[in-house]
Amino acid sequence: MIELPKLPFADNALEPFISEETIKYHYYKHHATYVNKLNELIKDTKYDELSLSSIIRDSEGAMFNNAAQVFNHTFYWNSLSPVKKDPSGKLLTKINNDFGSLEALKEEFIKAGTTLFGSGWVWLVREPKGQLMLKKTENAHTPLSSHLVPIFVCDVWEHAYYIDFRNLRPKYLEEFWDHINWNFAGEAFNKTDNDTFIGTEPCNDIHDPFCQILDDLQNGDRVTS
């Protein structure tokens, strides 16, 4: 059974960027619905005993869509922070090496989010040989399907921002940048800091460096869904 992790902040902690009203719909309705629907789909099947990442990597159709959306939303909430803070340490060094500067990454990020057609996600990811890159995924798709390590993600489905920003997605992206949880991003980067990422096995494989990150997310506090 997959459970709904608790938010890593209070419902009103991100105001005025993200209102408590948006949280009520986005987290308690949208995210929770994906969890509930996934549990309906996996009940009495071989997937009922699998980890979330294993379901994502081994399913298709409605089961994949709901499993991926559970993961995507959990990663999104953990990518957000009420406190503005810049990246530091090895992650900042890597950003400067791969993008030229933090400001250059911001410009590319906002462009990627603005130009993504329809609904989807904008991720900072680490590709198999270690390079950082921005990855746009449509609908429920996730970097896990491409063996990429997610560092942070921004949800650009309309339900993520329409209450607070209406159709002004670029403004939402600008505000998101000031609320990135760089501590979480740095942890994700540091835990996968090796020459080559081996991300082809489900998360019961000790050789998958992303497993610990996913396990930390899934094994945190839960709420009843």
Side-chain angles (χ1 to χ4, degrees):
M1 181 176 179
I2 304 299
E3 295 181 301
L4 179 67
K6 284 187 176 180
L7 286 174
F9 41 74
D11 293 356
N12 62 353
L14 296 173
E15 291 186 332
F17 165 49
I18 294 178
S19 65
E20 185 172 358
E21 183 182 7
T22 290
I23 295 293
K24 295 295 185 185
Y25 282 99
H26 195 178
Y27 172 71
Y28 291 100
K29 301 294 186 182
H30 286 278
H31 191 176
T33 296
Y34 290 125
V35 172
N36 293 335
K37 183 62 177 178
L38 177 60
N39 283 319
E40 290 177 11
L41 292 169
I42 66 175
K43 185 177 180 180
D44 298 327
T45 73
K46 66 177 183 179
Y47 298 97
D48 205 4
E49 301 300 323
L50 296 182
S51 67
L52 181 61
S53 67
S54 296
I55 297 171
I56 291 170
R57 289 168 170 160
D58 193 37
S59 65
E60 58 186 17
M63 189 178 295
F64 169 83
N65 288 335
N66 283 276
Q69 285 292 67
V70 172
F71 169 76
N72 291 352
H73 279 86
T74 300
F75 212 86
Y76 171 66
W77 301 125
N78 283 273
S79 294
L80 290 166
S81 173
V83 180
K84 183 177 180 179
K85 184 177 181 180
D86 291 329
S88 59
K90 291 190 291 185
L91 177 56
L92 179 58
T93 298
K94 186 66 172 170
I95 289 171
N96 288 333
N97 287 341
D98 291 352
F99 289 94
S101 67
L102 184 62
E103 186 62 28
L105 170 58
K106 177 183 178 180
E107 291 178 7
E108 289 191 34
F109 164 77
I110 292 174
K111 181 179 179 180
T114 302
T115 57
L116 192 155
F117 183 77
S119 299
W121 308 81
V122 180
W123 308 76
L124 178 66
V125 300
R126 187 173 190 154
E127 57 89 44
K129 293 186 178 180
Q131 184 172 350
L132 293 178
M133 60 182 287
L134 289 170
K135 173 74 173 177
K136 296 189 286 187
T137 60
E138 297 179 348
N139 299 319
H141 290 284
T142 168
L144 294 185
S145 301
S146 304
H147 312 309
L148 300 170
V149 179
I151 305 299
F152 71 72
V153 67
C154 181
D155 186 344
V156 292
W157 285 62
E158 287 187 347
H159 63 243
Y161 63 87
Y162 222 79
I163 290 174
D164 303 312
F165 294 91
R166 297 300 186 263
N167 61 321
L168 301 179
R169 186 190 286 185
K171 182 173 174 57
Y172 162 69
L173 293 164
E174 285 271 3
E175 292 283 336
F176 174 90
W177 184 265
D178 288 335
H179 290 84
I180 293 174
N181 186 345
W182 288 110
N183 287 338
F184 175 77
E187 290 175 8
F189 179 82
N190 292 336
K191 287 179 179 178
T192 59
D193 186 17
N194 48 31
D195 292 333
T196 303
F197 169 60
I198 304 171
T200 59
E201 300 295 331
C203 264
N204 55 10
D205 186 338
I206 62 171
H207 300 295
D208 185 341
F210 183 66
C211 288
Q212 184 60 50
I213 300 169
L214 187 60
D215 288 345
D216 288 347
L217 291 177
Q218 289 303 122
N219 293 331
D221 292 336
R222 265 81 160 159
V223 297
T224 301
S225 60

